[in-house]
Amino acid sequence: MSQKQLKPTLSGTRNKTRKRDEKERYEPQVFRDAIITGLEDIGNNHDLILKYLCDTATGKLDVKRYGETLLDVLFVGGIISAGGSIEGNVRTEICLIRQEKDQVKSFTNIFIQFIRRYKWLQNSLGEEIRKIIKVMRVCCNENERGLLGSATALLLMEGIIPPNLLSGLTQDHLLKDDVSISFATSLFRTWLQERDMQSLTSTLKKATIDPSLQDIFPPPKRNLDTIQNYFAEQGLNEMVQHVKSQKAHNNRKMFVSRLKLFVNDDEYKTTELANYIKEAIEEQKVTPTYTLQILFSVIATCGDWVVSDHIADDFYQEIKHYLPVFKEITKSEKQQIDFMNKIQEFCYDNLEFMKCFQKIIYIMYQGNVIEEDAIIQWHKSHHSSKGHTEFRAQMTKMVEWLENAEEEDTEEDE
């Protein structure tokens, strides 16, 4: 009996791929083309663009997956390549940087409303602007950079993007040919049309940009006078005032450093200090009142004067050493009263000097720095409110003595 021959079989196992495990191909170009087609079918009607994005695009296209591509198209009209050029030169005119200046606010509102509805895209928006700033030298001309700067200002004011993305403006390749300046100028102009200088300064601080704005100017143009003149030419008067205040701040900062050097280094003579102060006041870098305040403060804090709950005599000797310098500054009664108030406020803020006020003023009086009329006027009504009860009490006997001396002088003259 013949045995039945077995048919050959294939060895191994057969794996069936589930549909859910199949990976979709990443095709940003296809998504871009679909978005461009949708935008161009609508035209540059901002209300319809927003409706298309919220209803049609998010419903039919994978916006969540291709969020970066969507933002590329809305900002510059096409996909931004690694170098900054538009990929394949495929782009639409219906995008932010191809709007007219008076249309930027309306077009930016598309981003604002769209992000509010789809919050998951907010982080991507900040990264998108950071990326465009980095490559805007290539993908945008000067006018387009201005439009982008305006839109960035509006988005910052809405709190939709983080201020720290502005730190990208300090990159060396953007400083050339005033790329950063053109963007920043438009941003400042738009901001000041909508908000105030204080809020702009706060935003720049959060962006870690130097308040003097020197970081966004190329090295040859970082002089504050040059920056001030630039903003004056642009008609941005608030920016001019801001730069002026920065100049004043820098002058004061340098002035304080120099005073500390003069006081702490024994090699310098008081005549050298007096000449430096005179020159600074004449050049209007500092005011006489500010000079008196800082010089006294520097002297009072340059040594360890506190000994067993009282101020050592060395401190008073140090004050006497600088009397000629103080005398050169206090030319009028008003300056003398202002100086007394600054000493009063210093003693109030530094408790160890609270009991020293009368003695300091007496030394100033004997050195002809502060005259009797100024002291009497200060005591009557021109004193500071800080601790005035304590300090006026300290000065009562001296003021009475001065008033009596004045009366005696008057009688002798008669």
Side-chain angles (χ1 to χ4, degrees):
M1 186 175 176
S2 63
Q3 196 175 24
K4 190 175 179 180
Q5 191 174 359
L6 296 173
K7 293 181 179 180
T9 59
L10 293 172
S11 61
T13 57
R14 181 180 178 184
N15 293 325
K16 184 177 180 181
T17 305
R18 294 184 178 184
K19 190 172 183 180
R20 68 182 183 188
D21 295 330
E22 293 178 1
K23 290 187 177 180
E24 291 184 37
R25 293 177 61 187
Y26 184 68
E27 298 176 316
Q29 294 80 10
V30 175
F31 179 86
R32 171 203 61 196
D33 294 342
I35 290 293
I36 288 177
T37 300
L39 293 174
E40 293 185 342
D41 286 345
I42 295 168
N44 199 34
N45 184 314
H46 299 171
D47 291 334
L48 292 179
I49 291 173
L50 179 60
K51 190 175 187 309
Y52 164 73
L53 292 173
C54 291
D55 299 341
T56 307
T58 52
K60 295 182 177 180
L61 302 172
D62 194 350
V63 172
K64 201 162 188 177
R65 188 180 190 197
Y66 295 103
E68 183 180 356
T69 304
L70 173 65
L71 293 172
D72 278 358
V73 173
L74 291 175
F75 272 104
V76 301
I79 297 176
I80 302 172
S81 65
S85 59
I86 302 302
E87 188 177 296
N89 205 29
V90 177
R91 69 189 309 172
T92 176
E93 297 295 305
I94 304 173
C95 60
L96 174 72
I97 64 171
R98 295 300 172 88
Q99 302 295 305
E100 298 296 328
K101 284 185 179 180
D102 59 356
Q103 296 177 316
V104 171
K105 189 172 184 179
S106 175
F107 197 93
T108 305
N109 192 53
I110 295 173
F111 293 104
I112 295 170
Q113 297 302 322
F114 190 57
I115 294 298
R116 282 178 178 167
R117 187 165 176 177
Y118 300 100
K119 294 288 286 183
W120 45 264
L121 199 58
Q122 184 169 344
N123 290 337
S124 299
L125 179 63
E127 291 305 313
E128 177 71 15
I129 296 177
R130 196 188 303 273
K131 178 182 74 176
I132 297 175
I133 287 175
K134 188 175 181 180
V135 298
M136 64 182 174
R137 181 185 179 88
V138 177
C139 68
C140 303
N141 58 37
E142 185 174 356
N143 179 64
E144 291 168 346
R145 289 194 290 269
L147 299 178
L148 181 63
S150 293
T152 302
L154 295 168
L155 292 170
L156 282 168
M157 283 184 273
E158 289 292 328
I160 289 177
I161 56 176
N164 61 16
L165 60 82
L166 294 179
S167 61
L169 294 174
T170 61
Q171 297 174 82
D172 289 341
H173 70 281
L174 295 178
L175 299 179
K176 297 176 183 177
D177 303 322
D178 297 342
V179 174
S180 287
I181 297 175
S182 62
F183 176 94
T185 301
S186 182
L187 187 151
F188 298 155
R189 193 186 305 279
T190 300
W191 191 290
L192 294 173
Q193 288 170 353
E194 303 286 332
R195 302 281 177 88
D196 57 14
M197 189 66 223
Q198 185 177 356
S199 60
L200 175 56
T201 304
S202 175
T203 299
L204 293 174
K205 186 177 181 180
K206 291 174 184 174
T208 64
I209 290 179
D210 190 321
S212 67
L213 305 177
Q214 291 171 302
D215 288 352
I216 62 174
F217 282 79
K221 298 181 180 180
R222 284 182 178 170
N223 180 279
L224 286 178
D225 289 328
T226 304
I227 296 174
Q228 182 180 319
N229 292 335
Y230 169 79
F231 286 126
E233 291 169 2
Q234 295 296 317
L236 292 171
N237 294 329
E238 289 179 90
M239 297 303 300
V240 171
Q241 294 304 316
H242 173 74
V243 176
K244 280 184 178 179
S245 69
Q246 288 301 310
K247 283 170 62 178
H249 173 74
N250 290 350
N251 286 335
R252 289 193 296 269
K253 191 174 179 181
M254 185 178 295
F255 181 74
V256 172
S257 297
R258 289 296 301 275
L259 286 195
K260 287 180 178 178
L261 183 64
F262 276 113
V263 171
N264 291 318
D265 196 332
D266 295 334
E267 291 183 7
Y268 290 102
K269 298 178 181 178
T270 54
T271 51
E272 293 177 282
L273 172 59
N275 290 335
Y276 171 73
I277 288 174
K278 182 180 178 182
E279 183 180 330
I281 292 174
E282 287 176 351
E283 292 177 0
Q284 297 184 337
K285 291 181 178 179
V286 290
T287 63
T289 301
Y290 179 79
T291 302
L292 291 165
Q293 174 191 356
I294 295 302
L295 179 56
F296 179 82
S297 176
V298 168
I299 294 168
T301 56
C302 72
D304 187 10
W305 310 117
V306 182
V307 179
S308 301
D309 297 331
H310 72 278
I311 300 298
D313 289 339
D314 291 346
F315 168 70
Y316 302 110
Q317 293 301 320
E318 191 77 0
I319 291 292
K320 289 177 182 179
H321 179 69
Y322 289 98
L323 286 176
V325 182
F326 286 119
K327 187 178 177 182
E328 283 294 315
I329 307 169
T330 53
K331 301 293 185 181
S332 68
E333 184 177 303
K334 182 181 183 306
Q335 288 175 350
Q336 293 170 22
I337 293 173
D338 288 343
F339 186 28
M340 284 190 70
N341 282 323
K342 294 303 178 185
I343 296 173
Q344 175 189 343
E345 289 169 2
F346 177 87
C347 292
Y348 180 81
D349 293 334
N350 298 270
L351 295 179
E352 61 270 24
F353 288 89
M354 280 283 284
K355 303 297 183 182
C356 305
F357 180 72
Q358 186 274 333
K359 190 168 183 177
I360 294 169
I361 299 303
Y362 182 72
I363 291 171
M364 295 291 180
Y365 169 72
Q366 288 205 314
N368 296 319
V369 176
I370 299 175
E371 298 176 358
E372 56 265 28
D373 289 342
I375 295 172
I376 292 169
Q377 288 301 317
W378 172 89
H379 191 265
K380 283 182 178 178
S381 58
H382 290 65
H383 48 264
S384 170
S385 60
K386 288 188 173 182
H388 65 93
T389 304
E390 163 69 22
F391 298 119
R392 288 179 72 240
Q394 286 187 35
M395 292 295 296
T396 299
K397 288 185 179 180
M398 182 177 175
V399 170
E400 288 174 354
W401 174 71
L402 290 172
E403 288 175 335
N404 291 333
E406 246 183 19
E407 289 174 5
E408 289 174 7
D409 290 343
T410 303
E411 289 173 2
E412 287 178 6
D413 290 341
E414 289 176 354

